[in-house]
Amino acid sequence: MDYTAEAPAVWDPVFAEADDCLLSTDQCVVRGQHYFVKGLIEIPVIDSDEVFSWGVWVSLSRENFSRASDLWDRPGREAEKPYFGWLTTDLPMYPTTLNLKTHVHTRPVGERPCIELEPTDHPLAVEQRTGISLERVREIASALLHAGDGEQR
């Protein structure tokens, strides 16, 4: 019921050796100038209590990334107002998802942020608002399995 991307689309493995770059399971910095957090786009499954999740990366401003980092382990951080960001994961099964506008909603310590897409007519945004069928979940799972690039978390 989920798929996750290991890194933002702009990440290059050669960055791993650079002093001004960082890639953890939750945060990423590229060349000390670009800042990302990992979160979940959750899509309700119609006629079910299940949720399908895309684990994605969102770019944040330096200020918002710094604020989120300062609060990362602080209880009560979920009271923080959402941060604006740009989606930096290109998800299969959709027209390009890069640079869709998002709001990053912080959750309690230990939980990944919830990524809310701006309500547009992009198919991913529509699915987040209206939900998907179990058949659509199967279609996504089958495509990811056959593509071999889906990493279950």
Side-chain angles (χ1 to χ4, degrees):
M1 293 297 284
D2 56 49
Y3 166 90
T4 191
E6 291 183 32
V10 298
W11 181 260
D12 186 310
V14 301
F15 294 159
E17 302 302 317
D19 291 339
D20 59 353
C21 296
L22 161 81
L23 177 63
S24 73
T25 56
D26 299 306
Q27 298 178 326
C28 180
V29 177
V30 174
R31 299 291 183 214
Q33 298 177 5
H34 305 283
Y35 306 91
F36 309 89
V37 294
K38 192 169 189 178
L40 301 174
I41 296 175
E42 296 178 333
I43 301 175
V45 179
I46 299 168
D47 296 328
S48 169
D49 293 333
E50 299 280 341
V51 173
F52 180 84
S53 298
W54 291 105
V56 298
W57 292 88
V58 173
S59 67
L60 296 179
S61 67
R62 176 188 297 245
E63 178 182 319
N64 284 342
F65 182 82
S66 179
R67 175 80 178 153
S69 294
D70 289 347
L71 299 175
W72 202 258
D73 295 317
R74 188 174 299 169
R77 70 182 191 168
E78 63 274 15
E80 186 74 359
K81 67 179 178 101
Y83 304 114
F84 175 80
W86 298 95
L87 188 59
T88 56
T89 301
D90 199 16
L91 296 174
M93 310 288 300
Y94 298 96
T96 188
T97 57
L98 292 175
N99 297 318
L100 292 177
K101 293 179 180 178
T102 70
H103 286 57
V104 178
H105 296 267
T106 306
R107 292 182 172 166
V109 173
E111 293 182 35
R112 287 203 190 280
C114 176
I115 308 301
E116 175 190 12
L117 296 170
E118 183 176 84
T120 65
D121 62 354
H122 189 283
L124 180 60
V126 171
E127 287 182 351
Q128 187 178 40
R129 287 193 311 273
T130 63
I132 59 176
S133 67
L134 195 51
E135 183 56 36
R136 173 72 172 145
V137 172
R138 287 186 195 106
E139 176 187 327
I140 292 169
S142 177
L144 294 174
L145 181 65
H146 290 98
D149 61 357
E151 174 193 308
Q152 294 292 335
R153 63 172 172 83

Short mmCIF file of all heavy atoms in Angstrom, two decimals, residues 85-146:
data_model
loop_
_atom_site.label_atom_id
_atom_site.label_comp_id
_atom_site.label_asym_id
_atom_site.label_seq_id
_atom_site.Cartn_x
_atom_site.Cartn_y
_atom_site.Cartn_z
N GLY A 85 6.10 24.05 -0.19
CA GLY A 85 7.21 23.37 -0.86
C GLY A 85 6.84 22.96 -2.27
O GLY A 85 5.68 23.07 -2.68
N TRP A 86 7.84 22.48 -2.98
CA TRP A 86 7.67 21.98 -4.35
C TRP A 86 7.98 20.48 -4.36
O TRP A 86 9.00 20.06 -3.83
CB TRP A 86 8.63 22.69 -5.30
CG TRP A 86 8.42 24.16 -5.40
CD1 TRP A 86 9.09 25.12 -4.69
CD2 TRP A 86 7.48 24.85 -6.22
NE1 TRP A 86 8.62 26.36 -5.03
CE2 TRP A 86 7.63 26.23 -5.97
CE3 TRP A 86 6.52 24.43 -7.14
CZ2 TRP A 86 6.87 27.19 -6.62
CZ3 TRP A 86 5.77 25.40 -7.78
CH2 TRP A 86 5.94 26.76 -7.53
N LEU A 87 7.11 19.69 -4.95
CA LEU A 87 7.34 18.25 -5.05
C LEU A 87 8.57 18.00 -5.92
O LEU A 87 8.68 18.53 -7.03
CB LEU A 87 6.11 17.57 -5.64
CG LEU A 87 6.10 16.05 -5.64
CD1 LEU A 87 6.22 15.49 -4.22
CD2 LEU A 87 4.83 15.52 -6.29
N THR A 88 9.51 17.21 -5.40
CA THR A 88 10.74 16.91 -6.14
C THR A 88 10.93 15.41 -6.34
O THR A 88 12.05 14.91 -6.39
CB THR A 88 11.98 17.53 -5.44
OG1 THR A 88 12.03 17.06 -4.10
CG2 THR A 88 11.94 19.03 -5.47
N THR A 89 9.81 14.72 -6.46
CA THR A 89 9.81 13.30 -6.80
C THR A 89 8.92 13.14 -8.02
O THR A 89 7.78 13.60 -8.01
CB THR A 89 9.25 12.45 -5.64
OG1 THR A 89 10.05 12.65 -4.48
CG2 THR A 89 9.26 10.97 -5.99
N ASP A 90 9.44 12.54 -9.06
CA ASP A 90 8.64 12.29 -10.26
C ASP A 90 8.06 10.88 -10.13
O ASP A 90 8.78 9.89 -10.26
CB ASP A 90 9.49 12.43 -11.52
CG ASP A 90 8.65 12.64 -12.76
OD1 ASP A 90 7.45 13.00 -12.63
OD2 ASP A 90 9.17 12.48 -13.87
N LEU A 91 6.79 10.83 -9.84
CA LEU A 91 6.13 9.54 -9.59
C LEU A 91 5.72 8.86 -10.89
O LEU A 91 5.17 9.52 -11.79
CB LEU A 91 4.90 9.74 -8.70
CG LEU A 91 5.19 10.25 -7.30
CD1 LEU A 91 3.89 10.55 -6.56
CD2 LEU A 91 6.02 9.25 -6.52
N PRO A 92 5.95 7.55 -10.98
CA PRO A 92 5.47 6.82 -12.14
C PRO A 92 3.94 6.79 -12.13
O PRO A 92 3.32 7.06 -11.10
CB PRO A 92 6.05 5.42 -11.94
CG PRO A 92 6.32 5.31 -10.48
CD PRO A 92 6.60 6.70 -9.99
N MET A 93 3.36 6.51 -13.22
CA MET A 93 1.90 6.36 -13.35
C MET A 93 1.16 7.69 -13.53
O MET A 93 -0.06 7.71 -13.56
CB MET A 93 1.29 5.62 -12.16
CG MET A 93 1.96 4.33 -11.76
SD MET A 93 1.65 3.01 -12.94
CE MET A 93 -0.11 2.89 -12.91
N TYR A 94 1.88 8.79 -13.60
CA TYR A 94 1.25 10.11 -13.73
C TYR A 94 2.02 10.94 -14.75
O TYR A 94 3.21 10.70 -14.98
CB TYR A 94 1.31 10.86 -12.39
CG TYR A 94 0.58 10.19 -11.26
CD1 TYR A 94 1.27 9.39 -10.36
CD2 TYR A 94 -0.78 10.36 -11.09
CE1 TYR A 94 0.61 8.76 -9.31
CE2 TYR A 94 -1.46 9.73 -10.04
CZ TYR A 94 -0.75 8.93 -9.17
OH TYR A 94 -1.41 8.32 -8.13
N PRO A 95 1.36 11.98 -15.30
CA PRO A 95 2.16 12.98 -16.00
C PRO A 95 3.16 13.53 -14.98
O PRO A 95 2.94 13.38 -13.77
CB PRO A 95 1.14 14.06 -16.38
CG PRO A 95 -0.20 13.43 -16.22
CD PRO A 95 -0.05 12.31 -15.24
N THR A 96 4.22 14.17 -15.39
CA THR A 96 5.26 14.58 -14.46
C THR A 96 4.68 15.22 -13.19
O THR A 96 3.74 16.01 -13.25
CB THR A 96 6.31 15.51 -15.09
OG1 THR A 96 7.37 15.69 -14.15
CG2 THR A 96 5.71 16.85 -15.46
N THR A 97 5.23 14.81 -12.07
CA THR A 97 4.80 15.36 -10.78
C THR A 97 5.82 16.33 -10.22
O THR A 97 5.60 16.91 -9.16
CB THR A 97 4.54 14.22 -9.76
OG1 THR A 97 5.73 13.44 -9.63
CG2 THR A 97 3.38 13.34 -10.21
N LEU A 98 6.93 16.52 -10.94
CA LEU A 98 7.94 17.46 -10.47
C LEU A 98 7.39 18.88 -10.42
O LEU A 98 6.67 19.30 -11.32
CB LEU A 98 9.18 17.42 -11.38
CG LEU A 98 9.99 16.14 -11.35
CD1 LEU A 98 11.10 16.19 -12.39
CD2 LEU A 98 10.56 15.89 -9.96
N ASN A 99 7.71 19.56 -9.33
CA ASN A 99 7.35 20.96 -9.13
C ASN A 99 5.87 21.22 -8.91
O ASN A 99 5.42 22.36 -9.09
CB ASN A 99 7.90 21.84 -10.26
CG ASN A 99 9.41 21.82 -10.28
OD1 ASN A 99 10.05 21.87 -9.24
ND2 ASN A 99 9.98 21.70 -11.46
N LEU A 100 5.11 20.20 -8.50
CA LEU A 100 3.75 20.48 -8.07
C LEU A 100 3.83 21.23 -6.74
O LEU A 100 4.69 20.93 -5.90
CB LEU A 100 2.95 19.19 -7.88
CG LEU A 100 2.62 18.40 -9.16
CD1 LEU A 100 1.88 17.11 -8.79
CD2 LEU A 100 1.81 19.23 -10.13
N LYS A 101 2.95 22.20 -6.54
CA LYS A 101 2.94 22.96 -5.29
C LYS A 101 2.36 22.12 -4.17
O LYS A 101 1.38 21.39 -4.36
CB LYS A 101 2.10 24.23 -5.45
CG LYS A 101 2.70 25.22 -6.41
CD LYS A 101 1.82 26.45 -6.54
CE LYS A 101 2.41 27.45 -7.51
NZ LYS A 101 1.53 28.62 -7.66
N THR A 102 3.00 22.21 -2.99
CA THR A 102 2.58 21.40 -1.84
C THR A 102 2.56 22.23 -0.56
O THR A 102 3.13 23.32 -0.49
CB THR A 102 3.55 20.22 -1.61
OG1 THR A 102 4.80 20.73 -1.14
CG2 THR A 102 3.75 19.39 -2.87
N HIS A 103 1.92 21.64 0.44
CA HIS A 103 2.01 22.13 1.82
C HIS A 103 2.44 20.93 2.67
O HIS A 103 1.85 19.85 2.58
CB HIS A 103 0.67 22.67 2.30
CG HIS A 103 0.35 24.00 1.70
ND1 HIS A 103 0.30 24.22 0.36
CD2 HIS A 103 0.10 25.20 2.27
CE1 HIS A 103 0.01 25.47 0.11
NE2 HIS A 103 -0.13 26.09 1.26
N VAL A 104 3.49 21.14 3.45
CA VAL A 104 4.06 20.08 4.29
C VAL A 104 3.50 20.26 5.69
O VAL A 104 3.78 21.26 6.35
CB VAL A 104 5.60 20.17 4.29
CG1 VAL A 104 6.19 19.11 5.20
CG2 VAL A 104 6.15 20.05 2.87
N HIS A 105 2.70 19.30 6.13
CA HIS A 105 2.09 19.33 7.46
C HIS A 105 2.91 18.45 8.41
O HIS A 105 2.96 17.23 8.23
CB HIS A 105 0.65 18.80 7.40
CG HIS A 105 -0.26 19.65 6.57
ND1 HIS A 105 -1.01 20.66 7.10
CD2 HIS A 105 -0.51 19.63 5.23
CE1 HIS A 105 -1.71 21.23 6.13
NE2 HIS A 105 -1.43 20.62 4.99
N THR A 106 3.53 19.08 9.38
CA THR A 106 4.33 18.35 10.36
C THR A 106 3.41 17.52 11.24
O THR A 106 2.31 17.95 11.59
CB THR A 106 5.14 19.34 11.21
OG1 THR A 106 5.88 20.18 10.34
CG2 THR A 106 6.09 18.62 12.14
N ARG A 107 3.86 16.34 11.61
CA ARG A 107 3.11 15.44 12.49
C ARG A 107 3.92 15.22 13.76
O ARG A 107 5.06 15.66 13.87
CB ARG A 107 2.88 14.11 11.77
CG ARG A 107 1.92 14.23 10.60
CD ARG A 107 1.72 12.88 9.99
NE ARG A 107 0.69 12.90 8.98
CZ ARG A 107 0.48 11.93 8.11
NH1 ARG A 107 1.25 10.85 8.11
NH2 ARG A 107 -0.47 12.02 7.23
N PRO A 108 3.37 14.47 14.72
CA PRO A 108 4.11 14.21 15.95
C PRO A 108 5.47 13.56 15.68
O PRO A 108 5.67 12.92 14.65
CB PRO A 108 3.19 13.26 16.72
CG PRO A 108 1.81 13.58 16.22
CD PRO A 108 2.00 13.92 14.76
N VAL A 109 6.39 13.74 16.62
CA VAL A 109 7.73 13.19 16.51
C VAL A 109 7.65 11.70 16.17
O VAL A 109 6.87 10.96 16.77
CB VAL A 109 8.53 13.41 17.82
CG1 VAL A 109 9.86 12.69 17.78
CG2 VAL A 109 8.72 14.91 18.08
N GLY A 110 8.44 11.28 15.21
CA GLY A 110 8.46 9.88 14.80
C GLY A 110 7.57 9.60 13.60
O GLY A 110 7.64 8.51 13.03
N GLU A 111 6.74 10.56 13.19
CA GLU A 111 5.86 10.37 12.04
C GLU A 111 6.31 11.28 10.91
O GLU A 111 6.65 12.43 11.13
CB GLU A 111 4.41 10.69 12.40
CG GLU A 111 3.79 9.74 13.40
CD GLU A 111 2.34 10.07 13.68
OE1 GLU A 111 1.63 10.53 12.75
OE2 GLU A 111 1.92 9.90 14.82
N ARG A 112 6.28 10.74 9.69
CA ARG A 112 6.63 11.54 8.53
C ARG A 112 5.57 12.62 8.30
O ARG A 112 4.39 12.41 8.55
CB ARG A 112 6.69 10.68 7.27
CG ARG A 112 7.88 9.78 7.22
CD ARG A 112 8.19 9.39 5.77
NE ARG A 112 9.18 8.35 5.74
CZ ARG A 112 10.48 8.54 5.88
NH1 ARG A 112 10.93 9.75 6.06
NH2 ARG A 112 11.31 7.52 5.85
N PRO A 113 6.00 13.76 7.78
CA PRO A 113 5.03 14.81 7.46
C PRO A 113 4.02 14.34 6.42
O PRO A 113 4.31 13.46 5.60
CB PRO A 113 5.89 15.94 6.88
CG PRO A 113 7.28 15.66 7.36
CD PRO A 113 7.37 14.17 7.51
N CYS A 114 2.86 14.94 6.45
CA CYS A 114 1.83 14.71 5.45
C CYS A 114 1.99 15.77 4.38
O CYS A 114 2.08 16.96 4.69
CB CYS A 114 0.44 14.80 6.08
SG CYS A 114 -0.90 14.64 4.89
N ILE A 115 2.04 15.36 3.12
CA ILE A 115 2.21 16.28 2.01
C ILE A 115 0.84 16.48 1.34
O ILE A 115 0.25 15.54 0.82
CB ILE A 115 3.22 15.74 0.97
CG1 ILE A 115 4.54 15.34 1.63
CG2 ILE A 115 3.40 16.75 -0.15
CD1 ILE A 115 5.25 16.43 2.38
N GLU A 116 0.38 17.71 1.38
CA GLU A 116 -0.89 18.07 0.76
C GLU A 116 -0.59 18.79 -0.56
O GLU A 116 0.10 19.81 -0.56
CB GLU A 116 -1.68 18.99 1.68
CG GLU A 116 -2.96 19.52 1.09
CD GLU A 116 -3.59 20.61 1.94
OE1 GLU A 116 -2.94 21.11 2.88
OE2 GLU A 116 -4.73 20.96 1.64
N LEU A 117 -1.11 18.26 -1.64
CA LEU A 117 -0.92 18.89 -2.94
C LEU A 117 -1.90 20.04 -3.09
O LEU A 117 -3.03 19.99 -2.59
CB LEU A 117 -1.15 17.89 -4.07
CG LEU A 117 -0.16 16.73 -4.12
CD1 LEU A 117 -0.64 15.68 -5.11
CD2 LEU A 117 1.22 17.23 -4.50
N GLU A 118 -1.46 21.08 -3.81
CA GLU A 118 -2.37 22.16 -4.13
C GLU A 118 -3.52 21.56 -4.95
O GLU A 118 -3.28 20.71 -5.81
CB GLU A 118 -1.64 23.23 -4.94
CG GLU A 118 -2.50 24.42 -5.26
CD GLU A 118 -1.72 25.50 -5.96
OE1 GLU A 118 -1.58 25.43 -7.20
OE2 GLU A 118 -1.26 26.42 -5.26
N PRO A 119 -4.75 21.97 -4.68
CA PRO A 119 -5.90 21.37 -5.38
C PRO A 119 -5.99 21.83 -6.83
O PRO A 119 -6.63 22.84 -7.13
CB PRO A 119 -7.10 21.81 -4.55
CG PRO A 119 -6.65 23.04 -3.85
CD PRO A 119 -5.17 22.92 -3.66
N THR A 120 -5.33 21.08 -7.71
CA THR A 120 -5.36 21.38 -9.14
C THR A 120 -6.04 20.22 -9.86
O THR A 120 -6.54 19.29 -9.22
CB THR A 120 -3.92 21.52 -9.69
OG1 THR A 120 -3.26 20.25 -9.58
CG2 THR A 120 -3.14 22.59 -8.94
N ASP A 121 -6.01 20.26 -11.19
CA ASP A 121 -6.58 19.15 -11.96
C ASP A 121 -5.54 18.09 -12.32
O ASP A 121 -5.82 17.17 -13.09
CB ASP A 121 -7.29 19.67 -13.22
CG ASP A 121 -6.35 20.39 -14.18
OD1 ASP A 121 -5.16 20.60 -13.83
OD2 ASP A 121 -6.79 20.75 -15.28
N HIS A 122 -4.32 18.19 -11.74
CA HIS A 122 -3.32 17.13 -11.96
C HIS A 122 -3.89 15.83 -11.40
O HIS A 122 -4.47 15.82 -10.30
CB HIS A 122 -2.00 17.48 -11.26
CG HIS A 122 -0.89 16.55 -11.63
ND1 HIS A 122 -0.80 15.28 -11.09
CD2 HIS A 122 0.14 16.68 -12.51
CE1 HIS A 122 0.26 14.68 -11.60
NE2 HIS A 122 0.85 15.51 -12.47
N PRO A 123 -3.75 14.71 -12.11
CA PRO A 123 -4.34 13.45 -11.66
C PRO A 123 -3.95 13.04 -10.23
O PRO A 123 -4.78 12.50 -9.50
CB PRO A 123 -3.84 12.42 -12.68
CG PRO A 123 -3.57 13.22 -13.91
CD PRO A 123 -3.11 14.57 -13.43
N LEU A 124 -2.72 13.31 -9.82
CA LEU A 124 -2.31 12.97 -8.46
C LEU A 124 -3.06 13.80 -7.43
O LEU A 124 -3.53 13.29 -6.42
CB LEU A 124 -0.80 13.15 -8.30
CG LEU A 124 -0.21 12.82 -6.93
CD1 LEU A 124 -0.48 11.36 -6.54
CD2 LEU A 124 1.29 13.12 -6.90
N ALA A 125 -3.22 15.09 -7.70
CA ALA A 125 -3.97 15.97 -6.80
C ALA A 125 -5.44 15.55 -6.73
O ALA A 125 -6.04 15.55 -5.65
CB ALA A 125 -3.83 17.43 -7.24
N VAL A 126 -5.99 15.18 -7.88
CA VAL A 126 -7.39 14.73 -7.92
C VAL A 126 -7.54 13.46 -7.08
O VAL A 126 -8.47 13.34 -6.27
CB VAL A 126 -7.86 14.51 -9.37
CG1 VAL A 126 -9.23 13.83 -9.40
CG2 VAL A 126 -7.90 15.84 -10.12
N GLU A 127 -6.60 12.51 -7.25
CA GLU A 127 -6.68 11.26 -6.48
C GLU A 127 -6.55 11.53 -4.98
O GLU A 127 -7.22 10.88 -4.18
CB GLU A 127 -5.63 10.27 -6.95
CG GLU A 127 -5.95 9.66 -8.29
CD GLU A 127 -4.95 8.62 -8.76
OE1 GLU A 127 -3.87 8.47 -8.14
OE2 GLU A 127 -5.24 7.94 -9.76
N GLN A 128 -5.69 12.48 -4.60
CA GLN A 128 -5.55 12.78 -3.18
C GLN A 128 -6.87 13.31 -2.61
O GLN A 128 -7.23 12.99 -1.48
CB GLN A 128 -4.42 13.77 -2.93
CG GLN A 128 -4.14 13.96 -1.45
CD GLN A 128 -2.98 14.90 -1.17
OE1 GLN A 128 -2.83 15.92 -1.82
NE2 GLN A 128 -2.17 14.52 -0.19
N ARG A 129 -7.57 14.09 -3.39
CA ARG A 129 -8.84 14.66 -2.92
C ARG A 129 -10.00 13.66 -2.95
O ARG A 129 -10.84 13.65 -2.06
CB ARG A 129 -9.24 15.86 -3.79
CG ARG A 129 -8.43 17.09 -3.56
CD ARG A 129 -9.06 18.32 -4.21
NE ARG A 129 -9.44 18.16 -5.60
CZ ARG A 129 -8.64 18.36 -6.66
NH1 ARG A 129 -7.38 18.71 -6.47
NH2 ARG A 129 -9.09 18.21 -7.89
N THR A 130 -10.05 12.83 -4.01
CA THR A 130 -11.23 11.99 -4.22
C THR A 130 -11.04 10.53 -3.86
O THR A 130 -12.01 9.79 -3.74
CB THR A 130 -11.70 12.08 -5.69
OG1 THR A 130 -10.67 11.56 -6.54
CG2 THR A 130 -12.01 13.53 -6.07
N GLY A 131 -9.78 10.10 -3.72
CA GLY A 131 -9.51 8.71 -3.41
C GLY A 131 -9.33 7.87 -4.67
O GLY A 131 -9.57 8.33 -5.79
N ILE A 132 -8.88 6.64 -4.47
CA ILE A 132 -8.68 5.70 -5.57
C ILE A 132 -9.32 4.37 -5.23
O ILE A 132 -9.52 4.03 -4.06
CB ILE A 132 -7.18 5.49 -5.91
CG1 ILE A 132 -6.40 4.97 -4.69
CG2 ILE A 132 -6.57 6.78 -6.45
CD1 ILE A 132 -4.92 4.66 -4.99
N SER A 133 -9.63 3.61 -6.26
CA SER A 133 -10.21 2.29 -6.06
C SER A 133 -9.12 1.29 -5.72
O SER A 133 -7.93 1.52 -5.97
CB SER A 133 -10.93 1.84 -7.34
OG SER A 133 -9.96 1.62 -8.36
N LEU A 134 -9.53 0.16 -5.18
CA LEU A 134 -8.59 -0.92 -4.91
C LEU A 134 -7.98 -1.42 -6.22
O LEU A 134 -6.81 -1.79 -6.27
CB LEU A 134 -9.28 -2.05 -4.15
CG LEU A 134 -8.37 -3.07 -3.49
CD1 LEU A 134 -7.31 -2.40 -2.63
CD2 LEU A 134 -9.18 -4.03 -2.64
N GLU A 135 -8.76 -1.37 -7.29
CA GLU A 135 -8.24 -1.77 -8.60
C GLU A 135 -7.11 -0.84 -9.03
O GLU A 135 -6.11 -1.28 -9.59
CB GLU A 135 -9.36 -1.77 -9.65
CG GLU A 135 -8.91 -2.24 -11.01
CD GLU A 135 -8.28 -3.63 -11.01
OE1 GLU A 135 -8.72 -4.51 -10.25
OE2 GLU A 135 -7.31 -3.84 -11.78
N ARG A 136 -7.23 0.46 -8.75
CA ARG A 136 -6.17 1.41 -9.07
C ARG A 136 -4.91 1.10 -8.24
O ARG A 136 -3.80 1.18 -8.75
CB ARG A 136 -6.65 2.84 -8.82
CG ARG A 136 -5.59 3.91 -8.96
CD ARG A 136 -5.17 4.16 -10.39
NE ARG A 136 -4.29 5.34 -10.43
CZ ARG A 136 -3.28 5.49 -11.24
NH1 ARG A 136 -3.00 4.58 -12.15
NH2 ARG A 136 -2.54 6.58 -11.20
N VAL A 137 -5.10 0.73 -6.98
CA VAL A 137 -3.95 0.34 -6.15
C VAL A 137 -3.25 -0.85 -6.78
O VAL A 137 -2.02 -0.88 -6.88
CB VAL A 137 -4.40 0.02 -4.70
CG1 VAL A 137 -3.24 -0.57 -3.90
CG2 VAL A 137 -4.97 1.24 -4.02
N ARG A 138 -4.02 -1.84 -7.23
CA ARG A 138 -3.44 -3.02 -7.89
C ARG A 138 -2.69 -2.63 -9.16
O ARG A 138 -1.61 -3.16 -9.45
CB ARG A 138 -4.52 -4.05 -8.20
CG ARG A 138 -5.05 -4.77 -6.99
CD ARG A 138 -6.02 -5.89 -7.40
NE ARG A 138 -6.76 -6.34 -6.25
CZ ARG A 138 -8.05 -6.06 -6.01
NH1 ARG A 138 -8.76 -5.36 -6.86
NH2 ARG A 138 -8.63 -6.51 -4.91
N GLU A 139 -3.26 -1.71 -9.93
CA GLU A 139 -2.63 -1.24 -11.16
C GLU A 139 -1.28 -0.58 -10.86
O GLU A 139 -0.28 -0.86 -11.53
CB GLU A 139 -3.57 -0.24 -11.84
CG GLU A 139 -3.03 0.41 -13.09
CD GLU A 139 -3.96 1.51 -13.59
OE1 GLU A 139 -5.19 1.39 -13.44
OE2 GLU A 139 -3.45 2.51 -14.13
N ILE A 140 -1.25 0.26 -9.83
CA ILE A 140 0.00 0.93 -9.43
C ILE A 140 1.02 -0.11 -8.97
O ILE A 140 2.17 -0.10 -9.39
CB ILE A 140 -0.26 1.97 -8.33
CG1 ILE A 140 -1.07 3.14 -8.88
CG2 ILE A 140 1.04 2.46 -7.72
CD1 ILE A 140 -1.61 4.10 -7.82
N ALA A 141 0.58 -1.02 -8.10
CA ALA A 141 1.49 -2.05 -7.57
C ALA A 141 2.06 -2.91 -8.69
O ALA A 141 3.26 -3.20 -8.71
CB ALA A 141 0.76 -2.91 -6.55
N SER A 142 1.22 -3.29 -9.63
CA SER A 142 1.68 -4.11 -10.75
C SER A 142 2.70 -3.35 -11.60
O SER A 142 3.74 -3.90 -11.97
CB SER A 142 0.48 -4.53 -11.60
OG SER A 142 0.92 -5.27 -12.71
N ALA A 143 2.41 -2.11 -11.89
CA ALA A 143 3.34 -1.31 -12.71
C ALA A 143 4.68 -1.13 -11.99
O ALA A 143 5.73 -1.22 -12.61
CB ALA A 143 2.71 0.04 -13.03
N LEU A 144 4.64 -0.87 -10.69
CA LEU A 144 5.87 -0.68 -9.93
C LEU A 144 6.67 -1.98 -9.83
O LEU A 144 7.89 -1.99 -9.93
CB LEU A 144 5.58 -0.14 -8.54
CG LEU A 144 4.98 1.27 -8.49
CD1 LEU A 144 4.60 1.63 -7.07
CD2 LEU A 144 5.95 2.28 -9.06
N LEU A 145 5.98 -3.08 -9.63
CA LEU A 145 6.63 -4.38 -9.56
C LEU A 145 7.33 -4.71 -10.86
O LEU A 145 8.48 -5.15 -10.88
CB LEU A 145 5.61 -5.46 -9.19
CG LEU A 145 6.16 -6.87 -9.06
CD1 LEU A 145 7.14 -6.96 -7.90
CD2 LEU A 145 5.02 -7.85 -8.85
N HIS A 146 6.64 -4.47 -11.95
CA HIS A 146 7.22 -4.77 -13.26
C HIS A 146 8.31 -3.79 -13.66
O HIS A 146 9.24 -4.14 -14.37
CB HIS A 146 6.13 -4.84 -14.34
CG HIS A 146 5.25 -6.03 -14.17
ND1 HIS A 146 4.04 -5.98 -13.55
CD2 HIS A 146 5.45 -7.34 -14.50
CE1 HIS A 146 3.50 -7.18 -13.52
NE2 HIS A 146 4.35 -8.04 -14.08
#
